[in-house]
């Protein structure tokens, strides 16, 4: 006897095979986190894990990583400028925003590299084209239906992972960066009851003549199979512990509603990545970084979003357990924001920004930047932080050293027209 | 044969999904059926429960001031109660707005006009995850969009750009010209707080509402147009600058950047409010706007990568008619490409839910929370998350997990309605000539009435339009 889900009549939600996810937190509130998480199984040595987190909306790199030691910085940010005593110090020039406590600890533990004055090749100021370039890996927007990460996976050496478990999808749909011919899928928690075997079989038959739906259904079933498979002796306990951990991570649930919204997606990411036979690469995106007005400084709108992100990353580390040592997490955004604050105590669309590479596999404790300075002469078009590091150099370095993607593939199919952006090596522990 | 194909396209692609009997009623008059829907004034919503945006906004702003005062009084005290007060006020408004709109979509006899409404709401997208938009997103559609979708684009544009929901969503209400009176006053009072523009609305107006991203504007045009619309604000708030009717659009001359401005190479003398209107009129008549809107319409109604011929036809109709929208829609109806590739569009979750409700005639008074379905399937009402709106291509919606959820949802609907609906009888009525033998056979051989309904909703031809 199956329960009927409660979208038509009020009743308790049914038990389902995907109950290992803590339910409920996504239902409330807005779309800070769009909760799209997609995975791919990469054919590497079977150990390395990679997580790519897209910060949609253009993260203010000068607020996330304030150059508090730059002499032109206070005048640009005026009363929103942060000072040595309220940043989490990285070195004499840079600090982390005070909300980024976990990142600060990771920096101290040599597990975080901070990149600054970094940008994709995109030089206009449209979010949507900027995100397209960030994800496609091309130099122009809307020039490709596939993403660089998918093409990188396609080029990764064949490994020990059986084809049967290729590609599992988390989150309802696959973002552009993961789309392409390498097998990937999407997965997200379901509050609906699972189909019975007979109905599922009939639908499978119904889709036999429809290549798209047949493939998607098969991918979804593969994802469910991995999600349902027993993890290890301690798996059950770890799953039960998840919601507690999440609450602890989001210390003030009312103020950092975003933290609660990360819970499901981070938890799901960890569940998949922890599995030996599961996917090795995950992508998800977060939104809410478009801080045009009342951005705040040490406290405020951006501060609470950064705190939620930081808490989510801490939770990811905790839940990955020993697998964290094989993991690299890259956080990037489509572009930065204006160097000066605007008339509404926020920042408009800019160019260069900050990015982060985090994880147990990362050779961290470093700020990598060719700092251009913030004098009016050194600003890009007189208004934005000047880009001096190509994001593709970082992506290439990580793909090459962490996922063993051959350099010639990175220079050709993965990042076409990227000759000028040489792979930045030495980012990973070896 | 052909008649059952075109009527299915009319009802499912142009409309919001066939109801039983619709295809027979449309018969061989598909194009006339669509044109007739454009001929009278836009349908009214059953909006007796809904309040004007100005009332909602005044109440919300009063409450916010009260919360802020309370916070100051209690210093760092526990402000949890204050934190939840605004959502408590706004969430029921949001629910009511979204529910009324959903009912309209399910019940309307002019589904083409309703789809057009949804298209424009998505074109001029706001998202309830920001500020007070939870209480205002519905009113933007109701007050600025709905009344203007069968008129000229220029009027639609003007109504949207000065609606409080849009001004708040894209931060223009506080944008202040650096040489305006307000900026000079403030500089005297707070030296460290410099006033200035916020270019958010200006950029998105050019990029997303009119010219499109390749439409020929530069950063200088964005900045300059942002200066043009300084002063486009909301009455009553903020505090000391009381002017205009509370909660309604107001032009604040004291915020307005003085002087002539150049946008897209044309010089606009400083005529205050009219300066912005003049720029918007020119933007509405720009050939890039015609192309951009034609491309989006063709993408929505024809194919993800729409044929150039259709785009050109629609753009020409736009230009020839001076942006008269019924002429534009008629060009779409007259595009042969719209009728030659059935099922070229993958349904969005919203399309999928609405067409299921229409097709199965789900009685709305038995539905506890129709909005929950939208959330479950990944398209929460009025929540695209960005001013670009929901994406409109298959790849954005056809993820594996998304499909599994649709199928599970179809199963839940089947369980609920199965014994009271005859899927075998409904299938040809809803899908016409697009119904395949495979689906027909699967429904015929279903193990139960419930499973038959599930299979109908899960069928490849029901996933698309």
């Amino acid at each position: 006897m199956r329960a009927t889900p409660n979208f038509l009549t009020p009743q308790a939600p049914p038990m389902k095979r995907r109950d290992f996810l803590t339910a409920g937190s996504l239902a409330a509130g807005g779309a800070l986190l769009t909760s799209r998480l997609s995975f791919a199984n990469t054919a590497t040595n079977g150990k390395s894990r990679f997580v790519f987190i897209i910060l949609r909306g253009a993260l203010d790199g000068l607020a996330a990583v304030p150059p508090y030691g730059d002499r032109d910085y206070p005048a640009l940010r005026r009363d929103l400028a942060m000072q040595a005593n309220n940043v989490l110090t990285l070195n004499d020039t840079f600090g982390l925003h005070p909300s980024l406590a976990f990142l600060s600890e990771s920096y101290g533990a040599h597990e975080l590299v901070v990149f600054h004055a970094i940008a994709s090749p995109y030089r206009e100021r449209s979010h949507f084209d900027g995100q397209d370039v960030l994800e496609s890996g091309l130099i122009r927007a809307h020039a490709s239906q596939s993403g660089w990460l998918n093409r990188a996976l396609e080029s990764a050496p064949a490994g020990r992972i059986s084809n049967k478990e290729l590609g599992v999808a988390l989150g309802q749909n696959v973002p552009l960066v993961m789309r392409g011919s390498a097998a990937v899928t999407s997965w997200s928690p379901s509050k609906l009851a699972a189909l019975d075997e007979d109905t599922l079989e009939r639908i499978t038959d119904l889709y036999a003549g429809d290549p798209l739906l047949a493939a998607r259904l098969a991918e979804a079933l593969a994802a469910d199979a991995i999600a349902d498979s027993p993890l290890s002796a301690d798996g059950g306990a770890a799953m039960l512990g998840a919601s507690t951990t999440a609450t602890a991570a989001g210390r003030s649930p009312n103020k950092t509603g975003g933290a609660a919204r990360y819970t499901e997606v981070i938890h799901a990411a960890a569940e998949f990545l922890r599995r030996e036979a599961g996917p090795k690469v995950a992508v998800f995106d977060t939104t809410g970084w478009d801080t045009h007005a009342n951005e705040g400084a040490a406290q405020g709108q951006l501060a609470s979003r950064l705190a939620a992100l930081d808490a989510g990353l801490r939770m990811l580390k905790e839940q990955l357990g020993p697998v964290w040592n094989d993991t690299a997490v890259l956080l990037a955004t489509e572009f930065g924001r204006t160097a000066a604050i605007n008339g509404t105590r926020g920042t408009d669309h800019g160019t260069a920004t900050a990015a982060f590479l985090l994880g147990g596999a990362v050779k961290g404790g470093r700020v990598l930047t060719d700092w251009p300075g913030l004098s009016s002469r050194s600003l890009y078009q007189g208004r934005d932080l000047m880009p001096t590091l190509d994001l593709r150099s970082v992506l290439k370095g990580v793909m090459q050293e962490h996922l063993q993607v051959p350099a010639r593939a990175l220079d050709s199919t993965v990042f076409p027209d990227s000759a000028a952006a040489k792979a930045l090596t030495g980012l990973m522990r070896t | 044969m052909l008649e059952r194909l075109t009527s299915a396209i009319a009802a499912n692609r142009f409309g919001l999904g066939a109801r039983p009997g619709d295809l027979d009623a449309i018969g061989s008059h598909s194009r006339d059926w669509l044109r007739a829907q454009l001929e009278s004034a836009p349908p009214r919503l059953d909006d007796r429960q809904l309040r004007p945006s100005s009332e909602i906004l005044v109440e919300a702003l009063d409450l916010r001031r009260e919360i802020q005062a309370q916070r100051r009084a209690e210093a760092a005290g526990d402000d949890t109660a204050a934190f939840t007060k605004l959502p408590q006020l706004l969430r029921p408004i949001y629910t009511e707005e979204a529910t009324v709109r959903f009912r309209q979509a399910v019940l309307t006899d002019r589904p083409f006009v309703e789809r057009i409404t949804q298209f424009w709401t998505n074109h001029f997208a706001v998202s309830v995850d920001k500020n007070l938009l939870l209480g205002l997103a519905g009113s933007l559609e109701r007050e600025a969009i709905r009344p203007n979708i069968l008129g000229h684009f220029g009027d639609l544009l003007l109504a949207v750009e000065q609606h409080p929901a849009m001004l708040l969503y894209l931060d223009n209400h506080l944008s202040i010209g650096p040489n305006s009176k307000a900026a000079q006053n403030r500089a005297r009072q707070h030296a460290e707080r410099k006033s200035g523009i916020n270019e958010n609305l200006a950029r998105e107006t050019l990029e997303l509402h009119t010219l499109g991203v390749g439409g020929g504007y530069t950063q200088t045009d964005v900045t300059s147009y942002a200066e043009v619309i300084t002063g486009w604000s909301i009455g009553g708030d903020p505090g000391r600058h009381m002017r205009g009717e509370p909660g309604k659009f107001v032009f604040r001359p004291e915020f307005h950047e003085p002087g002539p401005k150049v946008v897209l190479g044309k010089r606009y003398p400083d005529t205050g409010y009219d300066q912005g209107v003049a720029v918007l009129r020119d933007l509405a008549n720009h050939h890039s706007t015609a192309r951009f809107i034609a491309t989006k319409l063709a993408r929505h109604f024809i194919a993800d990568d729409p044929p150039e011929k259709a785009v050109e036809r629609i753009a020409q109709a736009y230009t020839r008619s001076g942006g008269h929208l019924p002429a534009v829609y008629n060009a779409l109806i007259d595009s042969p490409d719209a009728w030659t590739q059935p099922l070229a569009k993958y349904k969005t979750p919203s399309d999928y839910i609405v067409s299921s409700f229409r097709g199965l005639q789900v009685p709305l008074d038995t539905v506890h929370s129709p909005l929950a379905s939208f959330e479950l399937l990944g398209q929460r009402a009025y929540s695209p998350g960005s001013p670009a709106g929901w994406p409109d291509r298959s790849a954005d919606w056809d993820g594996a997990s998304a499909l599994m959820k649709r199928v599970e949802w179809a199963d839940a609907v089947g369980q609920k309605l199965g014994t009271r609906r005859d899927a075998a009888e409904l299938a040809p009525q809803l899908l016409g000539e697009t119904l395949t033998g495979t689906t027909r056979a699967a429904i015929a051989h279903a193990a139960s009435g419930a499973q038959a309904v599930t299979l109908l909703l899960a069928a490849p031809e029901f996933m698309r339009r």
Side-chain angles (χ1 to χ4, degrees), chain B residues 2-248:
Chain B
L2 193 61
E3 185 181 302
R4 298 291 282 181
L5 182 62
T6 56
S7 58
I9 290 175
N12 294 327
R13 169 177 297 183
F14 286 91
L16 293 168
R19 299 170 301 187
D22 277 353
L23 300 192
D24 286 339
I26 296 168
S28 59
H29 308 290
S30 292
R31 289 177 176 81
D32 291 340
W33 180 72
L34 294 171
R35 283 192 198 104
Q37 295 183 41
L38 304 174
E39 275 162 13
S40 46
R44 273 188 66 88
L45 279 180
D46 178 13
D47 59 0
R48 282 163 297 182
Q49 306 290 321
L50 307 174
R51 296 150 65 201
S53 58
S54 55
E55 269 184 45
I56 300 167
L57 192 51
V58 165
E59 201 175 324
L61 292 173
D62 283 350
L63 180 59
R64 193 157 74 177
R65 269 190 291 271
E66 196 181 297
I67 293 168
Q68 280 160 355
Q70 198 178 328
R71 271 196 197 146
R72 274 193 297 274
E74 293 174 12
D78 178 21
D79 55 2
T80 314
F83 197 83
T84 55
K85 271 187 192 162
L86 261 182
Q88 274 167 9
L89 169 70
L90 299 177
R91 192 169 299 281
I93 296 171
Y94 163 77
T95 304
E96 190 64 37
E97 294 270 7
T99 305
V100 165
R101 177 196 207 222
F102 174 67
R103 294 179 66 91
Q104 172 91 350
V106 171
L107 300 175
T108 183
D109 293 323
R110 294 168 73 185
F112 180 39
V113 175
E114 197 59 25
R115 179 177 285 285
I116 288 169
T117 307
Q118 295 180 3
F119 171 86
W120 287 116
T121 296
N122 198 48
H123 180 79
F124 294 110
V126 297
S127 195
V128 299
D129 37 83
K130 179 163 173 177
N131 286 344
L132 307 174
L133 270 294
L134 187 62
L136 294 173
S139 71
L140 175 70
E141 176 177 289
R142 200 155 43 83
E143 297 172 344
I145 295 173
R146 230 170 244 285
N148 290 304
I149 53 165
L150 297 179
H152 281 82
F153 178 77
D155 297 329
L156 172 63
L157 179 68
L158 189 58
V160 169
E161 305 305 349
Q162 56 188 27
H163 193 277
M166 187 59 79
L167 294 168
L168 272 168
Y169 184 57
L170 294 177
D171 308 306
N172 205 73
H173 58 304
L174 297 176
S175 184
I176 295 176
N179 299 304
S180 65
K181 284 201 193 83
Q184 286 162 4
N185 288 342
R186 189 181 284 184
R188 276 195 295 274
Q189 287 156 8
H190 313 276
E192 82 289 357
R193 289 203 183 178
K194 204 165 138 190
S195 300
I197 58 167
N198 178 314
E199 63 184 41
N200 203 7
L201 177 62
R203 178 182 305 283
E204 305 306 15
T205 299
L206 297 174
E207 178 184 330
L208 300 174
H209 300 166
T210 60
L211 305 175
V213 73
Y217 62 91
T218 64
Q219 175 61 43
T220 312
D221 293 318
V222 172
T223 312
S224 181
Y225 176 54
E227 288 174 359
V228 168
I229 54 170
T230 44
W232 287 43
S233 188
I234 299 167
D237 192 72
R240 257 168 302 159
H241 302 285
M242 284 301 284
R243 184 188 279 276
E245 275 186 76
K248 292 191 176 170

Side-chain angles (χ1 to χ4, degrees), chain A residues 110-113 357 359-366 368 425-430:
Chain A
H110 301 282
E111 291 189 348
L112 173 71
V113 179
L357 181 65
V362 172
K363 199 156 109 194
R366 297 180 286 163
L368 293 184
T425 53
L427 294 172
M428 313 305 301
R429 291 181 206 273
T430 43

